Amino acid sequence: MNKTAQNVPIGKGRLIVVVGPSGAGKDTLMSYAARHLQGRDEIVFVRRVITRQGDAGGEDHDAISHVDFRQLARAGGFAVSWEAHGLFYGIPAQTRHQVDCGHIVVANGSRTALPHFSAAFPALTVINVTARPDVLASRLEARGRETRAEILDRLQRSTPQLVGPYELVTIDNSGSIEDAGQVMINALTKYLPDLRTSSPR
């Protein structure tokens, strides 16, 4: 169900979509940045709509059934929506208005859905969160969802090349959350020339 909204006006703001492989720490970095940028109304963190139970763990999201998701998508309720691993994900349509009003809007996305994001949001930055293979393997193993062999097999598969009409920022999250988190904050606030940030304490 890959869809993008049509006739989206070019806004004055910007959408920043965060992508990366499982275990890279996208949710952790976004939560870190949201805490340290709390109170800055210019930056909005999107709450995704997902066909997954609300108490399933992971990111904080709006849970919805597959039937309701399809109905909402047909009604134009999403700026961007896509399917991955048997789940449907949606970025609420109001995100377009927030960008058009000049906000810096941050959303958790998917590498395979980037063509749909770039079609819907001309002013787009992609933050690609990465980590060393050994770090990814350890984090995935700690989740207990896959065996070590399954994890290593997945990590050996090729990853999509991130090439498109958008700015690309890569963050290596192999080390401390403080180091990668500050890089994330800098990447988000570079579009706010009046904002002065210092290293979080």
Side-chain angles (χ1 to χ4, degrees):
M1 185 183 292
N2 289 324
K3 294 184 178 180
T4 57
Q6 301 297 317
N7 301 319
V8 179
I10 297 177
K12 296 175 291 185
R14 175 170 293 269
L15 183 79
I16 299 179
V17 59
V18 183
V19 302
S22 296
K26 301 182 296 294
D27 294 332
T28 301
L29 281 182
M30 290 180 67
S31 296
Y32 182 92
R35 288 196 306 272
H36 289 282
L37 294 172
Q38 189 174 8
R40 297 298 312 206
D41 294 337
E42 308 96 319
I43 299 183
V44 177
F45 288 83
V46 174
R47 185 181 175 95
R48 292 197 297 185
V49 178
I50 308 176
T51 56
R52 180 172 59 199
Q53 294 296 323
D55 58 357
E59 71 175 284
D60 192 14
H61 65 281
D62 289 331
I64 191 173
S65 70
H66 282 72
V67 172
D68 290 341
F69 189 98
R70 291 188 179 95
Q71 292 178 344
L72 188 56
R74 284 195 295 268
F78 299 121
V80 179
S81 64
W82 68 96
E83 181 182 3
H85 308 297
L87 297 174
F88 292 138
Y89 298 80
I91 303 299
Q94 68 185 39
T95 302
R96 297 194 304 268
H97 176 69
Q98 292 170 320
V99 171
D100 192 48
C101 288
H103 290 90
I104 303 303
V105 181
V106 187
N108 191 339
S110 169
R111 291 171 293 181
T112 58
L114 286 179
H116 307 286
F117 277 97
S118 61
F121 295 95
L124 177 68
T125 294
V126 175
I127 293 181
N128 181 34
V129 181
T130 66
R132 297 192 313 270
D134 61 304
V135 174
L136 292 176
S138 295
R139 291 173 180 170
L140 291 173
E141 192 171 16
R143 295 179 180 180
R145 301 173 187 170
E146 298 172 287
T147 66
R148 181 76 176 184
E150 290 172 334
I151 291 170
L152 293 176
D153 179 65
R154 178 170 15 149
L155 294 178
Q156 289 175 355
R157 299 172 195 165
S158 61
T159 58
Q161 294 295 316
L162 303 187
V163 178
Y166 43 73
E167 295 185 19
L168 178 62
V169 177
T170 298
I171 299 178
D172 186 339
N173 191 29
S174 301
S176 71
I177 181 60
E178 291 78 15
D179 289 343
Q182 186 58 45
V183 177
M184 169 73 85
I185 290 172
N186 293 341
L188 300 182
T189 58
K190 66 174 287 189
Y191 303 103
L192 303 175
D194 63 326
L195 182 59
R196 301 291 181 267
T197 61
S198 57
S199 299
R201 298 177 182 177

